[in-house]
Amino acid sequence: MEGISIVLPTLNRTTFLTDTLDCLVVQEFTYPFEILVVDQSDTYNHAMDEYQWKYPFIKYFHITFFKGLPEARNFGWTHAHYDYILYLDDDISCDNNLLEQH
């Protein structure tokens, strides 16, 4: 399916993650996109409940049975719905045209 799946691994960095999500949810992009947050933190991040409710294109996965960036990226990739995968860190800041540029 044409669009972009953003895979966003994170580990115990809620403040950075929410700042990054705030940048990503306002993307101006011609095609559909989704944000797959793969959280390997010890505890469930309840802030993600509000993001998922407000932005249905955000999918939150709280994973505790593995740890590691490659594993989180691979997990996200296997749950992606779109043809293109964009791996991002949980602490980026970007303009609203990041997806269009990619």
Side-chain angles (χ1 to χ4, degrees):
M1 186 184 303
E2 196 165 2
I4 293 182
S5 295
I6 302 167
V7 176
L8 195 61
T10 190
L11 175 63
N12 297 323
R13 292 165 49 105
T14 299
T15 302
F16 290 110
L17 175 63
T18 55
D19 290 346
T20 297
L21 288 173
D22 290 341
C23 291
L24 293 174
V25 296
V26 296
Q27 291 295 302
E28 295 176 4
F29 190 56
T30 307
Y31 300 98
F33 68 94
E34 65 180 349
I35 302 169
L36 305 168
V37 177
V38 183
D39 186 359
Q40 300 174 81
S41 303
D42 296 329
T43 58
Y44 183 89
N45 187 338
H46 292 283
M48 293 300 100
D49 293 338
E50 184 176 334
Y51 274 93
Q52 288 186 105
W53 177 79
K54 191 172 181 182
Y55 305 103
F57 54 88
I58 294 178
K59 307 293 187 275
Y60 176 71
F61 301 94
H62 180 235
I63 304 300
T64 57
F65 56 89
F66 64 76
K67 293 265 196 261
L69 185 58
E71 292 86 350
R73 287 179 174 165
N74 287 335
F75 180 90
W77 171 81
T78 62
H79 289 83
H81 289 102
Y82 296 114
D83 292 337
Y84 298 98
I85 309 295
L86 179 60
Y87 298 106
L88 296 177
D89 293 330
D90 64 358
D91 61 353
I92 69 157
S93 178
C94 62
D95 292 328
N96 62 355
N97 62 349
L98 175 77
L99 296 181
E100 199 65 47
Q101 291 176 343
H102 279 80

